[in-house]
PDB file of all heavy atoms in Angstrom:
ATOM      1  N   LEU A   1      -3.950  10.762  15.731  1.00 61.00           N
ATOM      2  CA  LEU A   1      -4.502   9.772  16.650  1.00 61.00           C
ATOM      3  C   LEU A   1      -3.459   9.350  17.661  1.00 61.00           C
ATOM      4  O   LEU A   1      -2.256   9.485  17.447  1.00 61.00           O
ATOM      5  CB  LEU A   1      -4.987   8.544  15.873  1.00 61.00           C
ATOM      6  CG  LEU A   1      -6.058   8.802  14.812  1.00 61.00           C
ATOM      7  CD1 LEU A   1      -6.303   7.539  14.005  1.00 61.00           C
ATOM      8  CD2 LEU A   1      -7.342   9.277  15.456  1.00 61.00           C
ATOM      9  N   SER A   2      -3.942   8.793  18.745  1.00 58.00           N
ATOM     10  CA  SER A   2      -3.047   8.302  19.784  1.00 58.00           C
ATOM     11  C   SER A   2      -2.176   7.173  19.251  1.00 58.00           C
ATOM     12  O   SER A   2      -2.615   6.340  18.464  1.00 58.00           O
ATOM     13  CB  SER A   2      -3.867   7.790  20.973  1.00 58.00           C
ATOM     14  OG  SER A   2      -3.055   7.044  21.862  1.00 58.00           O
ATOM     15  N   SER A   3      -0.941   7.127  19.708  1.00 53.00           N
ATOM     16  CA  SER A   3      -0.037   6.077  19.263  1.00 53.00           C
ATOM     17  C   SER A   3      -0.405   4.718  19.834  1.00 53.00           C
ATOM     18  O   SER A   3       0.236   3.721  19.533  1.00 53.00           O
ATOM     19  CB  SER A   3       1.416   6.418  19.658  1.00 53.00           C
ATOM     20  OG  SER A   3       1.526   6.564  21.061  1.00 53.00           O
ATOM     21  N   SER A   4      -1.446   4.673  20.672  1.00 54.00           N
ATOM     22  CA  SER A   4      -1.906   3.372  21.179  1.00 54.00           C
ATOM     23  C   SER A   4      -2.682   2.606  20.112  1.00 54.00           C
ATOM     24  O   SER A   4      -2.944   1.416  20.255  1.00 54.00           O
ATOM     25  CB  SER A   4      -2.796   3.572  22.416  1.00 54.00           C
ATOM     26  OG  SER A   4      -3.954   4.309  22.078  1.00 54.00           O
ATOM     27  N   LEU A   5      -3.054   3.291  19.015  1.00 51.00           N
ATOM     28  CA  LEU A   5      -3.738   2.610  17.918  1.00 51.00           C
ATOM     29  C   LEU A   5      -2.797   1.598  17.273  1.00 51.00           C
ATOM     30  O   LEU A   5      -1.587   1.799  17.230  1.00 51.00           O
ATOM     31  CB  LEU A   5      -4.188   3.626  16.870  1.00 51.00           C
ATOM     32  CG  LEU A   5      -5.034   3.118  15.714  1.00 51.00           C
ATOM     33  CD1 LEU A   5      -6.417   2.730  16.202  1.00 51.00           C
ATOM     34  CD2 LEU A   5      -5.150   4.185  14.629  1.00 51.00           C
ATOM     35  N   GLU A   6      -3.344   0.528  16.769  1.00 56.00           N
ATOM     36  CA  GLU A   6      -2.543  -0.509  16.124  1.00 56.00           C
ATOM     37  C   GLU A   6      -1.716   0.074  14.975  1.00 56.00           C
ATOM     38  O   GLU A   6      -2.255   0.674  14.043  1.00 56.00           O
ATOM     39  CB  GLU A   6      -3.465  -1.609  15.587  1.00 56.00           C
ATOM     40  CG  GLU A   6      -2.717  -2.779  14.965  1.00 56.00           C
ATOM     41  CD  GLU A   6      -3.665  -3.780  14.336  1.00 56.00           C
ATOM     42  OE1 GLU A   6      -4.885  -3.588  14.447  1.00 56.00           O
ATOM     43  OE2 GLU A   6      -3.185  -4.746  13.722  1.00 56.00           O
ATOM     44  N   THR A   7      -0.398  -0.076  15.055  1.00 61.00           N
ATOM     45  CA  THR A   7       0.468   0.552  14.058  1.00 61.00           C
ATOM     46  C   THR A   7       0.470  -0.188  12.723  1.00 61.00           C
ATOM     47  O   THR A   7       1.061   0.298  11.761  1.00 61.00           O
ATOM     48  CB  THR A   7       1.925   0.646  14.582  1.00 61.00           C
ATOM     49  OG1 THR A   7       2.365  -0.660  15.003  1.00 61.00           O
ATOM     50  CG2 THR A   7       2.015   1.610  15.750  1.00 61.00           C
ATOM     51  N   ARG A   8      -0.202  -1.316  12.625  1.00 71.00           N
ATOM     52  CA  ARG A   8      -0.329  -2.001  11.334  1.00 71.00           C
ATOM     53  C   ARG A   8      -1.046  -1.103  10.324  1.00 71.00           C
ATOM     54  O   ARG A   8      -0.844  -1.217   9.116  1.00 71.00           O
ATOM     55  CB  ARG A   8      -1.084  -3.318  11.534  1.00 71.00           C
ATOM     56  CG  ARG A   8      -1.429  -4.040  10.244  1.00 71.00           C
ATOM     57  CD  ARG A   8      -0.214  -4.506   9.496  1.00 71.00           C
ATOM     58  NE  ARG A   8       0.362  -5.686  10.090  1.00 71.00           N
ATOM     59  CZ  ARG A   8       1.377  -6.360   9.572  1.00 71.00           C
ATOM     60  NH1 ARG A   8       1.935  -5.939   8.450  1.00 71.00           N
ATOM     61  NH2 ARG A   8       1.856  -7.424  10.155  1.00 71.00           N
ATOM     62  N   THR A   9      -1.871  -0.182  10.826  1.00 73.00           N
ATOM     63  CA  THR A   9      -2.526   0.800   9.956  1.00 73.00           C
ATOM     64  C   THR A   9      -1.496   1.533   9.110  1.00 73.00           C
ATOM     65  O   THR A   9      -1.687   1.749   7.907  1.00 73.00           O
ATOM     66  CB  THR A   9      -3.310   1.823  10.808  1.00 73.00           C
ATOM     67  OG1 THR A   9      -4.307   1.132  11.554  1.00 73.00           O
ATOM     68  CG2 THR A   9      -3.969   2.882   9.934  1.00 73.00           C
ATOM     69  N   ILE A  10      -0.397   1.928   9.723  1.00 81.00           N
ATOM     70  CA  ILE A  10       0.662   2.659   9.014  1.00 81.00           C
ATOM     71  C   ILE A  10       1.259   1.781   7.920  1.00 81.00           C
ATOM     72  O   ILE A  10       1.431   2.215   6.775  1.00 81.00           O
ATOM     73  CB  ILE A  10       1.781   3.075   9.993  1.00 81.00           C
ATOM     74  CG1 ILE A  10       1.218   3.939  11.119  1.00 81.00           C
ATOM     75  CG2 ILE A  10       2.893   3.801   9.249  1.00 81.00           C
ATOM     76  CD1 ILE A  10       0.695   5.265  10.679  1.00 81.00           C
ATOM     77  N   ASP A  11       1.586   0.555   8.258  1.00 85.00           N
ATOM     78  CA  ASP A  11       2.241  -0.347   7.302  1.00 85.00           C
ATOM     79  C   ASP A  11       1.369  -0.563   6.071  1.00 85.00           C
ATOM     80  O   ASP A  11       1.866  -0.581   4.938  1.00 85.00           O
ATOM     81  CB  ASP A  11       2.549  -1.702   7.966  1.00 85.00           C
ATOM     82  CG  ASP A  11       3.456  -1.559   9.167  1.00 85.00           C
ATOM     83  OD1 ASP A  11       4.282  -0.628   9.173  1.00 85.00           O
ATOM     84  OD2 ASP A  11       3.342  -2.367  10.104  1.00 85.00           O
ATOM     85  N   THR A  12       0.066  -0.720   6.278  1.00 83.00           N
ATOM     86  CA  THR A  12      -0.846  -0.946   5.156  1.00 83.00           C
ATOM     87  C   THR A  12      -0.896   0.266   4.239  1.00 83.00           C
ATOM     88  O   THR A  12      -0.835   0.146   3.014  1.00 83.00           O
ATOM     89  CB  THR A  12      -2.260  -1.271   5.678  1.00 83.00           C
ATOM     90  OG1 THR A  12      -2.180  -2.391   6.560  1.00 83.00           O
ATOM     91  CG2 THR A  12      -3.191  -1.609   4.531  1.00 83.00           C
ATOM     92  N   HIS A  13      -0.975   1.464   4.826  1.00 85.00           N
ATOM     93  CA  HIS A  13      -1.015   2.671   4.010  1.00 85.00           C
ATOM     94  C   HIS A  13       0.291   2.891   3.257  1.00 85.00           C
ATOM     95  O   HIS A  13       0.281   3.301   2.089  1.00 85.00           O
ATOM     96  CB  HIS A  13      -1.312   3.890   4.892  1.00 85.00           C
ATOM     97  CG  HIS A  13      -2.782   4.132   5.081  1.00 85.00           C
ATOM     98  ND1 HIS A  13      -3.513   3.512   6.046  1.00 85.00           N
ATOM     99  CD2 HIS A  13      -3.651   4.919   4.396  1.00 85.00           C
ATOM    100  CE1 HIS A  13      -4.770   3.911   5.980  1.00 85.00           C
ATOM    101  NE2 HIS A  13      -4.876   4.771   4.981  1.00 85.00           N
ATOM    102  N   VAL A  14       1.406   2.637   3.907  1.00 90.00           N
ATOM    103  CA  VAL A  14       2.701   2.814   3.243  1.00 90.00           C
ATOM    104  C   VAL A  14       2.829   1.845   2.069  1.00 90.00           C
ATOM    105  O   VAL A  14       3.323   2.206   0.996  1.00 90.00           O
ATOM    106  CB  VAL A  14       3.863   2.632   4.237  1.00 90.00           C
ATOM    107  CG1 VAL A  14       5.205   2.539   3.502  1.00 90.00           C
ATOM    108  CG2 VAL A  14       3.901   3.788   5.228  1.00 90.00           C
ATOM    109  N   MET A  15       2.351   0.622   2.242  1.00 90.00           N
ATOM    110  CA  MET A  15       2.401  -0.364   1.171  1.00 90.00           C
ATOM    111  C   MET A  15       1.622   0.130  -0.048  1.00 90.00           C
ATOM    112  O   MET A  15       2.110   0.055  -1.189  1.00 90.00           O
ATOM    113  CB  MET A  15       1.818  -1.688   1.657  1.00 90.00           C
ATOM    114  CG  MET A  15       1.761  -2.784   0.595  1.00 90.00           C
ATOM    115  SD  MET A  15       0.965  -4.294   1.214  1.00 90.00           S
ATOM    116  CE  MET A  15      -0.747  -3.734   1.357  1.00 90.00           C
ATOM    117  N   ARG A  16       0.427   0.663   0.179  1.00 87.00           N
ATOM    118  CA  ARG A  16      -0.381   1.167  -0.924  1.00 87.00           C
ATOM    119  C   ARG A  16       0.245   2.408  -1.554  1.00 87.00           C
ATOM    120  O   ARG A  16       0.242   2.570  -2.777  1.00 87.00           O
ATOM    121  CB  ARG A  16      -1.801   1.504  -0.446  1.00 87.00           C
ATOM    122  CG  ARG A  16      -2.552   0.337   0.180  1.00 87.00           C
ATOM    123  CD  ARG A  16      -2.608  -0.860  -0.708  1.00 87.00           C
ATOM    124  NE  ARG A  16      -3.059  -0.549  -2.062  1.00 87.00           N
ATOM    125  CZ  ARG A  16      -2.978  -1.404  -3.076  1.00 87.00           C
ATOM    126  NH1 ARG A  16      -2.428  -2.590  -2.915  1.00 87.00           N
ATOM    127  NH2 ARG A  16      -3.436  -1.057  -4.257  1.00 87.00           N
ATOM    128  N   LEU A  17       0.786   3.291  -0.724  1.00 93.00           N
ATOM    129  CA  LEU A  17       1.423   4.502  -1.239  1.00 93.00           C
ATOM    130  C   LEU A  17       2.649   4.154  -2.065  1.00 93.00           C
ATOM    131  O   LEU A  17       2.869   4.720  -3.140  1.00 93.00           O
ATOM    132  CB  LEU A  17       1.815   5.417  -0.075  1.00 93.00           C
ATOM    133  CG  LEU A  17       2.530   6.717  -0.447  1.00 93.00           C
ATOM    134  CD1 LEU A  17       1.687   7.562  -1.385  1.00 93.00           C
ATOM    135  CD2 LEU A  17       2.872   7.506   0.823  1.00 93.00           C
ATOM    136  N   ARG A  18       3.428   3.205  -1.598  1.00 94.00           N
ATOM    137  CA  ARG A  18       4.639   2.806  -2.339  1.00 94.00           C
ATOM    138  C   ARG A  18       4.279   2.278  -3.728  1.00 94.00           C
ATOM    139  O   ARG A  18       4.965   2.569  -4.705  1.00 94.00           O
ATOM    140  CB  ARG A  18       5.401   1.755  -1.531  1.00 94.00           C
ATOM    141  CG  ARG A  18       6.749   1.362  -2.151  1.00 94.00           C
ATOM    142  CD  ARG A  18       7.463   0.349  -1.278  1.00 94.00           C
ATOM    143  NE  ARG A  18       8.171   0.971  -0.185  1.00 94.00           N
ATOM    144  CZ  ARG A  18       8.116   0.575   1.092  1.00 94.00           C
ATOM    145  NH1 ARG A  18       7.318  -0.440   1.423  1.00 94.00           N
ATOM    146  NH2 ARG A  18       8.820   1.183   2.020  1.00 94.00           N
ATOM    147  N   ASP A  19       3.203   1.534  -3.824  1.00 93.00           N
ATOM    148  CA  ASP A  19       2.761   1.038  -5.134  1.00 93.00           C
ATOM    149  C   ASP A  19       2.464   2.191  -6.089  1.00 93.00           C
ATOM    150  O   ASP A  19       2.736   2.112  -7.290  1.00 93.00           O
ATOM    151  CB  ASP A  19       1.511   0.167  -4.989  1.00 93.00           C
ATOM    152  CG  ASP A  19       1.823  -1.206  -4.404  1.00 93.00           C
ATOM    153  OD1 ASP A  19       3.012  -1.594  -4.410  1.00 93.00           O
ATOM    154  OD2 ASP A  19       0.880  -1.887  -3.949  1.00 93.00           O
ATOM    155  N   LYS A  20       1.920   3.296  -5.561  1.00 93.00           N
ATOM    156  CA  LYS A  20       1.548   4.434  -6.400  1.00 93.00           C
ATOM    157  C   LYS A  20       2.756   5.267  -6.832  1.00 93.00           C
ATOM    158  O   LYS A  20       2.639   6.091  -7.743  1.00 93.00           O
ATOM    159  CB  LYS A  20       0.523   5.304  -5.678  1.00 93.00           C
ATOM    160  CG  LYS A  20      -0.822   4.603  -5.486  1.00 93.00           C
ATOM    161  CD  LYS A  20      -1.863   5.520  -4.887  1.00 93.00           C
ATOM    162  CE  LYS A  20      -3.213   4.807  -4.768  1.00 93.00           C
ATOM    163  NZ  LYS A  20      -4.279   5.700  -4.258  1.00 93.00           N
ATOM    164  N   LEU A  21       3.895   5.070  -6.182  1.00 95.00           N
ATOM    165  CA  LEU A  21       5.102   5.813  -6.570  1.00 95.00           C
ATOM    166  C   LEU A  21       5.731   5.255  -7.838  1.00 95.00           C
ATOM    167  O   LEU A  21       6.597   5.895  -8.437  1.00 95.00           O
ATOM    168  CB  LEU A  21       6.132   5.797  -5.430  1.00 95.00           C
ATOM    169  CG  LEU A  21       5.702   6.409  -4.102  1.00 95.00           C
ATOM    170  CD1 LEU A  21       6.882   6.455  -3.147  1.00 95.00           C
ATOM    171  CD2 LEU A  21       5.098   7.787  -4.280  1.00 95.00           C
ATOM    172  N   GLY A  22       5.313   4.060  -8.235  1.00 93.00           N
ATOM    173  CA  GLY A  22       5.796   3.476  -9.495  1.00 93.00           C
ATOM    174  C   GLY A  22       7.308   3.347  -9.534  1.00 93.00           C
ATOM    175  O   GLY A  22       7.917   2.759  -8.627  1.00 93.00           O
ATOM    176  N   PRO A  23       7.968   3.922 -10.554  1.00 93.00           N
ATOM    177  CA  PRO A  23       9.415   3.782 -10.697  1.00 93.00           C
ATOM    178  C   PRO A  23      10.206   4.455  -9.571  1.00 93.00           C
ATOM    179  O   PRO A  23      11.394   4.196  -9.414  1.00 93.00           O
ATOM    180  CB  PRO A  23       9.711   4.464 -12.040  1.00 93.00           C
ATOM    181  CG  PRO A  23       8.559   5.393 -12.261  1.00 93.00           C
ATOM    182  CD  PRO A  23       7.371   4.707 -11.656  1.00 93.00           C
ATOM    183  N   ALA A  24       9.524   5.299  -8.781  1.00 94.00           N
ATOM    184  CA  ALA A  24      10.209   5.981  -7.673  1.00 94.00           C
ATOM    185  C   ALA A  24       9.927   5.308  -6.329  1.00 94.00           C
ATOM    186  O   ALA A  24      10.232   5.864  -5.273  1.00 94.00           O
ATOM    187  CB  ALA A  24       9.772   7.441  -7.629  1.00 94.00           C
ATOM    188  N   ARG A  25       9.377   4.103  -6.362  1.00 94.00           N
ATOM    189  CA  ARG A  25       8.980   3.422  -5.126  1.00 94.00           C
ATOM    190  C   ARG A  25      10.146   3.179  -4.174  1.00 94.00           C
ATOM    191  O   ARG A  25       9.961   3.123  -2.960  1.00 94.00           O
ATOM    192  CB  ARG A  25       8.287   2.099  -5.441  1.00 94.00           C
ATOM    193  CG  ARG A  25       9.112   1.118  -6.245  1.00 94.00           C
ATOM    194  CD  ARG A  25       8.374  -0.186  -6.540  1.00 94.00           C
ATOM    195  NE  ARG A  25       8.145  -0.956  -5.339  1.00 94.00           N
ATOM    196  CZ  ARG A  25       6.969  -1.271  -4.867  1.00 94.00           C
ATOM    197  NH1 ARG A  25       5.865  -0.892  -5.483  1.00 94.00           N
ATOM    198  NH2 ARG A  25       6.855  -1.978  -3.748  1.00 94.00           N
ATOM    199  N   THR A  26      11.366   3.067  -4.720  1.00 94.00           N
ATOM    200  CA  THR A  26      12.532   2.808  -3.855  1.00 94.00           C
ATOM    201  C   THR A  26      12.893   4.014  -2.996  1.00 94.00           C
ATOM    202  O   THR A  26      13.686   3.885  -2.055  1.00 94.00           O
ATOM    203  CB  THR A  26      13.754   2.399  -4.691  1.00 94.00           C
ATOM    204  OG1 THR A  26      14.032   3.426  -5.657  1.00 94.00           O
ATOM    205  CG2 THR A  26      13.507   1.077  -5.411  1.00 94.00           C
ATOM    206  N   LEU A  27      12.317   5.181  -3.314  1.00 95.00           N
ATOM    207  CA  LEU A  27      12.602   6.373  -2.502  1.00 95.00           C
ATOM    208  C   LEU A  27      11.925   6.303  -1.135  1.00 95.00           C
ATOM    209  O   LEU A  27      12.349   6.980  -0.194  1.00 95.00           O
ATOM    210  CB  LEU A  27      12.139   7.645  -3.221  1.00 95.00           C
ATOM    211  CG  LEU A  27      12.780   7.959  -4.569  1.00 95.00           C
ATOM    212  CD1 LEU A  27      12.280   9.301  -5.091  1.00 95.00           C
ATOM    213  CD2 LEU A  27      14.307   7.967  -4.462  1.00 95.00           C
ATOM    214  N   LEU A  28      10.881   5.495  -1.036  1.00 96.00           N
ATOM    215  CA  LEU A  28      10.178   5.324   0.243  1.00 96.00           C
ATOM    216  C   LEU A  28      10.743   4.081   0.929  1.00 96.00           C
ATOM    217  O   LEU A  28      10.424   2.954   0.570  1.00 96.00           O
ATOM    218  CB  LEU A  28       8.672   5.186   0.000  1.00 96.00           C
ATOM    219  CG  LEU A  28       7.773   4.959   1.224  1.00 96.00           C
ATOM    220  CD1 LEU A  28       8.099   5.906   2.356  1.00 96.00           C
ATOM    221  CD2 LEU A  28       6.308   5.081   0.823  1.00 96.00           C
ATOM    222  N   GLU A  29      11.613   4.322   1.882  1.00 96.00           N
ATOM    223  CA  GLU A  29      12.345   3.236   2.523  1.00 96.00           C
ATOM    224  C   GLU A  29      11.721   2.822   3.851  1.00 96.00           C
ATOM    225  O   GLU A  29      11.208   3.657   4.599  1.00 96.00           O
ATOM    226  CB  GLU A  29      13.795   3.661   2.784  1.00 96.00           C
ATOM    227  CG  GLU A  29      14.619   3.901   1.539  1.00 96.00           C
ATOM    228  CD  GLU A  29      16.069   4.204   1.850  1.00 96.00           C
ATOM    229  OE1 GLU A  29      16.378   4.526   3.021  1.00 96.00           O
ATOM    230  OE2 GLU A  29      16.897   4.118   0.927  1.00 96.00           O
ATOM    231  N   THR A  30      11.807   1.526   4.126  1.00 94.00           N
ATOM    232  CA  THR A  30      11.437   0.988   5.431  1.00 94.00           C
ATOM    233  C   THR A  30      12.691   0.889   6.283  1.00 94.00           C
ATOM    234  O   THR A  30      13.703   0.329   5.845  1.00 94.00           O
ATOM    235  CB  THR A  30      10.817  -0.413   5.294  1.00 94.00           C
ATOM    236  OG1 THR A  30       9.647  -0.337   4.470  1.00 94.00           O
ATOM    237  CG2 THR A  30      10.446  -0.973   6.660  1.00 94.00           C
TER     238      THR A  30
END
């Protein structure tokens, strides 16, 4: 999608994905 889309979409997905990484969640860095 165009980068003109609201980038909060990315933050929400990353938050949910990080939760699913469990003990490896620290590997996904902001």
